[in-house]
Amino acid sequence: RWMVEPKVDGVAVSLRYEAGVFTVGATRGDGETGDDITANLRTVRTLPLRLEGAPRVLEVRGEVYMPTAEFERVQADQAAAGETPFANPRNATAGSLKQLDSRVVARRPLALMVYGLGEVSEDARVPDTQAGLIEWLRGLGLPTHDPGHLWLCSSAEELQGAIAELDALRRRLAFETDGAVLK
């Protein structure tokens, strides 16, 4: 069985929680060493700073993005102020997260979507399927994909159908997507 998820076109991040408290957040950086953007991530309104029922150590992976409607509003505000507009929501997000002043980032309408794990302490009862993982992460209070935007498939035909449904849904999603993820 496979799960089909929309691929959020944002900035990949890794978030570390210790005893349920958000402690560190980083980007991929150069692929070997990530950039510590903890202070900027703390300003993302959909990122919970505390989780109830989390294992002792929990590292989650996800994407920070700028919702499409918010991006359009930011673009209009920039144009009205005579500023150069961002090229797209992903560039707006990446530029926001690189800001040295987290107060600037706090004014940007960024959001988070989590979908995977990094390090997890042994006390965790991690589900063994992607569908179970998404449900578990959501139960901890982390933002995940809307269940209506996830497809469980058992055949190549179902996979093709799910991808076609996702393609038809793209314009109604709250974020830019650059494809599908199959797990």
Side-chain angles (χ1 to χ4, degrees), residues 21 26 46 75 86 105 111 126 130 134 143 152 154 157 172 174 179:
V21 177
T46 57
Q75 292 291 76
F86 291 111
V105 183
V126 178
Q130 183 65 13
I134 295 296
L152 286 175
S154 298
E157 294 77 23
R172 295 193 317 269

Side-chain angles (χ1 to χ4, degrees), residues 14 44 96 119 127 129 148 174:
S14 181
V44 175
S96 297
E119 180 184 358
T129 66

Side-chain angles (χ1 to χ4, degrees), residues 57 74 90 141:
V57 173
V74 167
R90 188 194 182 290

Side-chain angles (χ1 to χ4, degrees), residues 71 74-76 78-79 82-88 91-92:
F71 174 72
V74 167
Q75 292 291 76
Q78 285 185 305
E83 298 174 6
T84 304
F86 291 111
N88 55 54
N91 286 5

Side-chain angles (χ1 to χ4, degrees), residues 6 17 22 35 37 63 85 90 96 110 126 175 177 182:
Y17 289 84
F22 174 62
D35 295 324
I37 57 169
E63 297 276 326
R90 188 194 182 290
S96 297
L110 301 177
V126 178
F175 51 86
T177 181
L182 308 178

Side-chain angles (χ1 to χ4, degrees), residues 8-127:
V8 178
D9 190 13
V11 174
V13 294
S14 181
L15 313 169
R16 184 178 178 90
Y17 289 84
E18 295 176 3
V21 177
F22 174 62
T23 57
V24 177
T27 66
R28 282 189 212 141
D30 64 8
E32 293 256 335
T33 304
D35 295 324
D36 183 340
I37 57 169
T38 304
N40 288 347
L41 286 171
R42 288 184 186 281
T43 71
V44 175
R45 291 170 195 87
T46 57
L47 186 150
L49 299 177
R50 292 188 174 279
L51 302 176
E52 292 298 322
R56 186 175 45 77
V57 173
L58 175 65
E59 181 185 351
V60 295
R61 306 278 166 78
E63 297 276 326
V64 174
Y65 65 97
M66 188 175 290
T68 309
E70 295 293 334
F71 174 72
E72 291 168 3
R73 185 187 56 75
V74 167
Q75 292 291 76
D77 291 349
Q78 285 185 305
E83 298 174 6
T84 304
F86 291 111
N88 55 54
R90 188 194 182 290
N91 286 5
T93 301
S96 297
L97 291 174
K98 289 182 181 182
Q99 294 292 315
L100 298 177
D101 185 348
S102 59
R103 292 173 298 186
V104 173
V105 183
R107 292 192 298 268
R108 302 274 170 87
L110 301 177
L112 170 70
M113 183 86 61
V114 299
Y115 51 75
L117 294 176
E119 180 184 358
V120 180
S121 58
E122 287 110 27
D123 63 322
R125 289 197 177 124
V126 178

